[in-house]
Amino acid sequence: ELRGHRDAVAFVLWIQSKQLLATAGDDKSVRIWDVTTRKAVKSFYRCFEDDIDALYHFSAFDSLLFATSGSKIVVLNLSSSLLIDTTPLAVLSLPCEVSSLAVSLDHTKLIVGDEEGTIHFLLITSNGDSLSAEKIFKVENAHTSIVSNLLLYERAGKNFMVSSSYDCSCALWEIKEEASLIARVDFANLGTIQGQMFNPPFVHSTIEVDEDFFLVGLGDGSVS
C-alpha cells in the first residue's frame, strides 16, 4: 500500500526500464514510487491546471513522462534531481482535448488523438533539458468520435498505425510523409454479444498479437 496522494488516484503506470511506478491523482499531482521501499522518490506538484487524464512513458524518451490533461500534454523530467518538482519540462497545447498518445517508430514524432476524431502529428525536438514540438500535419475526420488508442508497427520496411475510436471502428493507416488510409473495420454491425448491449461496441483498447492478428477490446463486454 502506497500513501501520499491527497485525493483519489486516477491513473497508474509501471515504468519498466526504471522499475518505478508513476501515479496521477485528483489532487493534480504526479508521484513516482520505488515499490521496493514503498516510498515516493519524486513528486510533480503545481504542474497542472486541470485534472490529469492519463500517463505515458516511451522507451525512446526514457527520462520523460508524458501526462495528458484536457487539451494539454505536460512533459515531466524524471531525471530532475528535485524531490518536489513544480516546473514541467514542456507544455504542449492542442485545439481540443487529448484522448490518446503514441510515438512514431523513428522516434521523431508525437502522434496525438483527440476527442473530436482528429489525429495530430507533431515533430519533436529534445535534448534532455528541453523539449519542443512543431505541428507538421493532421488527419481530420480520421474518426467521428474520441480516438481511444493508437498502435504503431512495422512490416517489410513500411510503417503502419492502427487507430481505434468510440465510433466503434478501427482504421489501418500507412505512415509516410502523411497518413494514408488502407482499411477500416466497423464493429457496430458485428453483433458480438446478442442481448448484452449495455454499451455499444466502442473500441477502448487494441493489442498486437503477432504479424497477422490484433485483439480489440469493445465496450459491449467482448473482445474481437
Side-chain angles (χ1 to χ4, degrees):
E1 188 174 280
L2 306 174
R3 292 187 176 273
H5 285 288
R6 299 176 181 176
D7 207 331
V9 176
F11 202 90
V12 296
L13 175 71
W14 177 248
I15 304 175
Q16 179 66 30
S17 62
K18 296 184 177 298
Q19 295 291 292
L20 296 172
L21 180 71
T23 60
D26 285 348
D27 56 4
K28 299 179 182 177
S29 76
V30 170
R31 295 174 185 265
I32 310 299
W33 305 85
D34 182 336
V35 294
T36 58
T37 63
R38 302 181 185 180
K39 294 182 179 180
V41 296
K42 181 179 286 295
S43 297
F44 295 96
Y45 186 60
R46 295 180 179 172
C47 296
F48 302 91
E49 297 176 358
D50 300 309
D51 290 340
I52 303 166
D53 301 314
L55 299 174
Y56 298 85
H57 180 262
F58 305 106
S59 58
F61 302 99
D62 194 48
S63 64
L64 304 180
L65 185 67
F66 295 79
T68 57
S69 177
S71 62
K72 296 179 180 178
I73 303 168
V74 180
V75 185
L76 306 172
N77 186 3
L78 294 173
S79 298
S80 165
S81 60
L82 297 174
L83 178 61
I84 300 177
D85 199 336
T86 59
T87 306
L89 188 68
V91 178
L92 313 177
S93 297
L94 276 85
C96 50
E97 294 199 4
V98 175
S99 55
S100 53
L101 209 60
V103 168
S104 63
L105 298 177
D106 62 3
H107 306 159
T108 63
K109 303 177 192 70
L110 191 64
I111 305 173
V112 186
D114 71 27
E115 292 201 351
E116 294 185 358
T118 297
I119 301 174
H120 307 260
F121 289 74
L122 312 178
L123 184 65
I124 296 177
T125 303
S126 175
N127 60 12
D129 295 324
S130 64
L131 182 142
S132 61
E134 175 188 355
K135 297 176 184 178
I136 49 176
F137 68 89
K138 63 181 177 180
V139 183
E140 293 189 276
N141 302 316
H143 292 277
T144 59
S145 186
I146 297 169
V147 180
S148 57
N149 191 259
L150 297 167
L151 188 153
L152 290 97
Y153 67 97
E154 184 266 338
R155 293 286 185 277
K158 296 181 179 180
N159 293 331
F160 298 94
M161 176 179 70
V162 175
S163 61
S164 55
S165 172
Y166 277 43
D167 66 3
C168 306
S169 76
C170 281
L172 174 63
W173 310 83
E174 183 176 358
I175 307 300
K176 295 181 179 179
E177 288 78 12
E178 294 192 355
S180 302
L181 180 64
I182 296 174
R184 189 180 298 273
V185 178
D186 185 357
F187 296 96
N189 300 318
L190 290 183
T192 48
I193 299 182
Q194 297 296 328
Q196 191 179 327
M197 296 297 287
F198 46 86
N199 278 324
F202 59 82
V203 184
H204 58 72
S205 56
T206 308
I207 301 173
E208 181 182 7
V209 179
D210 58 27
E211 292 189 359
D212 299 311
F213 292 96
F214 296 87
L215 290 177
V216 179
L218 303 177
D220 65 354
S222 68
V223 177
S224 289

